[in-house]
Amino acid sequence: MDNGKIKHIGVFTSGGDSPGMNAALYGTVKVAEQHGIRVSGILKGYEGMIDGHFIPLESQQLQKTVHRGGTVLKTARSERFMAVDGRQLAFKSLQDNDIDAVVAIGGDGTFKGLIAFSEISKIPFIGIPGTIDNDLAGTDFTLGFDSAINTAIESIDKIKDTAESHNRVFIVEVMGRDSGYIAIHSGLGVGADAILIPESGEDFLQLLKKVKDYRSEDGFIVVVSEGDELGAELVASKIKELNPEVDLRITKLGHVQRGGNPSAFDRMLGIRLGAASVNALMNGERNVMAGILDNQLKFTPFDSVVKQHQLNEELYGLLKTLNT
Ligand code: F6P
């Protein structure tokens, strides 16, 4: 394996935090140390890159954080990096700190940032998909998605108890800005009565048919993705219009889905992708995201990963069956 000229890697987390990011940091630093490569953590994503906020990282400290949610490097969504001036400052900071390669952990905003950055920076970048939304192509699962759906399922199970006790309809909104992945997985997992996702508008009509016949003899759970075009409130008011008898509540799970200890799957995924990112840099890869496709490590160019992750056809079929 050729180490090339890489002596110092910078690593950062960016965008919405996701459980498993700390495990990815640990995997990155542990493998870099084995090859005698120094690693600096860049604090608060692109913001810290612009401001030159770097700290030395050691695997010994990070090992203690593998089981913790959030990100020890902090994170942010950076307005300044969107402008070319901000990106130029960031490039200068990396050069001033002798950073000759970067590992970026984040979602589609992070990768769009890297695509723009690569126009002015010749520094090689490797990406790790870190977002609960599972909305990136080039990997079957993003870091944090599995933990988020487990959190969502645990919460909706509890809502089901109270829904059944009161014979109520609950509209439960889950996260996923433009993607129905969290809704479909958590909705199927709890045995929801209907699931509404941005990718499938016509399911709303099916829901109305079902709810029209609902006679308040049991609970009724509708899982709605936050990215769905109608949204929880409008869905609720349409249901009430159609069937004024129903006793209905809306619950938005919100940021609880982003926190908590990572699942076993996300810890493993983080460590695997962290390790893979350093190995990829040493093998001369650049501007690609490490992902797992069909349980194989794969590297996909940034411009292909920001295309929306297509919904799995089989799951989509299941969703249709459930919604009828
Ligand atoms: O991208 C992850 C995510 O949690 C989305 O599901 C959600 O729309 C968004 O981030 C919320 O962002 P913020 O943390 O800025 O409120």
Short mmCIF file of all heavy atoms in Angstrom, two decimals, residues 77 131-133 175-177 226 255 258, ligand 1:
data_model
loop_
_atom_site.label_atom_id
_atom_site.label_comp_id
_atom_site.label_asym_id
_atom_site.label_seq_id
_atom_site.Cartn_x
_atom_site.Cartn_y
_atom_site.Cartn_z
N ARG A 77 -24.17 24.21 10.47
CA ARG A 77 -24.46 24.42 9.04
C ARG A 77 -23.88 25.80 8.74
O ARG A 77 -24.28 26.79 9.35
CB ARG A 77 -25.98 24.39 8.78
CG ARG A 77 -26.64 23.07 9.23
CD ARG A 77 -28.07 22.98 8.75
NE ARG A 77 -28.84 21.99 9.49
CZ ARG A 77 -28.88 20.69 9.20
NH1 ARG A 77 -28.17 20.22 8.20
NH2 ARG A 77 -29.62 19.85 9.91
N THR A 131 -25.84 11.08 8.34
CA THR A 131 -27.13 11.77 8.46
C THR A 131 -28.19 10.74 8.82
O THR A 131 -28.15 9.61 8.30
CB THR A 131 -27.54 12.48 7.14
OG1 THR A 131 -28.95 12.81 7.21
CG2 THR A 131 -27.34 11.63 5.90
N ILE A 132 -29.14 11.13 9.66
CA ILE A 132 -30.19 10.17 10.01
C ILE A 132 -31.15 9.95 8.84
O ILE A 132 -31.92 9.00 8.85
CB ILE A 132 -30.98 10.60 11.28
CG1 ILE A 132 -31.72 11.92 11.05
CG2 ILE A 132 -30.08 10.66 12.49
CD1 ILE A 132 -32.80 12.20 12.10
N ASP A 133 -31.12 10.83 7.84
CA ASP A 133 -32.16 10.81 6.79
C ASP A 133 -32.03 9.65 5.79
O ASP A 133 -32.98 9.35 5.07
CB ASP A 133 -32.16 12.12 6.00
CG ASP A 133 -32.70 13.28 6.82
OD1 ASP A 133 -33.12 13.06 7.96
OD2 ASP A 133 -32.68 14.41 6.30
N MET A 175 -38.74 12.63 11.24
CA MET A 175 -37.82 13.46 10.45
C MET A 175 -37.54 12.85 9.07
O MET A 175 -37.96 11.72 8.77
CB MET A 175 -36.51 13.66 11.20
CG MET A 175 -36.55 14.83 12.16
SD MET A 175 -34.93 15.16 12.85
CE MET A 175 -35.22 16.77 13.58
N GLY A 176 -36.78 13.60 8.27
CA GLY A 176 -36.42 13.18 6.92
C GLY A 176 -36.79 14.30 5.98
O GLY A 176 -37.87 14.27 5.38
N ARG A 177 -35.91 15.27 5.88
CA ARG A 177 -36.23 16.51 5.17
C ARG A 177 -36.91 16.28 3.82
O ARG A 177 -38.01 16.76 3.59
CB ARG A 177 -34.95 17.32 4.99
CG ARG A 177 -35.20 18.79 4.76
CD ARG A 177 -33.95 19.50 4.33
NE ARG A 177 -32.75 18.95 4.92
CZ ARG A 177 -32.02 19.57 5.83
NH1 ARG A 177 -32.37 20.75 6.27
NH2 ARG A 177 -30.91 19.00 6.29
N GLU A 226 -41.71 14.39 7.72
CA GLU A 226 -41.75 15.86 7.76
C GLU A 226 -41.64 16.45 6.35
O GLU A 226 -42.05 17.58 6.12
CB GLU A 226 -40.64 16.43 8.64
CG GLU A 226 -39.25 16.21 8.07
CD GLU A 226 -38.14 16.97 8.79
OE1 GLU A 226 -38.42 17.97 9.46
OE2 GLU A 226 -36.99 16.54 8.66
N HIS A 255 -36.25 16.34 17.29
CA HIS A 255 -34.81 16.09 17.42
C HIS A 255 -34.46 14.94 18.36
O HIS A 255 -33.29 14.54 18.41
CB HIS A 255 -34.08 17.36 17.84
CG HIS A 255 -34.07 18.40 16.76
ND1 HIS A 255 -35.17 19.15 16.45
CD2 HIS A 255 -33.10 18.76 15.88
CE1 HIS A 255 -34.88 19.96 15.44
NE2 HIS A 255 -33.64 19.74 15.07
N ARG A 258 -32.47 12.39 16.67
CA ARG A 258 -31.05 12.60 16.34
C ARG A 258 -30.12 12.21 17.48
O ARG A 258 -28.91 12.05 17.27
CB ARG A 258 -30.83 14.08 15.99
CG ARG A 258 -31.37 14.49 14.65
CD ARG A 258 -30.28 15.01 13.74
NE ARG A 258 -29.70 16.23 14.24
CZ ARG A 258 -30.04 17.45 13.83
NH1 ARG A 258 -30.95 17.62 12.91
NH2 ARG A 258 -29.45 18.50 14.32
O1 F6P B 1 -30.71 16.21 8.04
C1 F6P B 1 -31.05 15.69 9.27
C2 F6P B 1 -32.22 16.43 9.85
O2 F6P B 1 -32.45 15.94 11.15
C3 F6P B 1 -33.50 16.39 9.00
O3 F6P B 1 -34.21 15.18 9.18
C4 F6P B 1 -34.23 17.60 9.51
O4 F6P B 1 -35.09 18.10 8.52
C5 F6P B 1 -33.12 18.57 9.78
O5 F6P B 1 -31.94 17.81 9.97
C6 F6P B 1 -33.32 19.45 10.99
O6 F6P B 1 -32.28 20.37 11.03
P1 F6P B 1 -31.95 21.31 12.26
O7 F6P B 1 -31.08 20.53 13.20
O8 F6P B 1 -31.19 22.44 11.65
O9 F6P B 1 -33.23 21.70 12.92
#
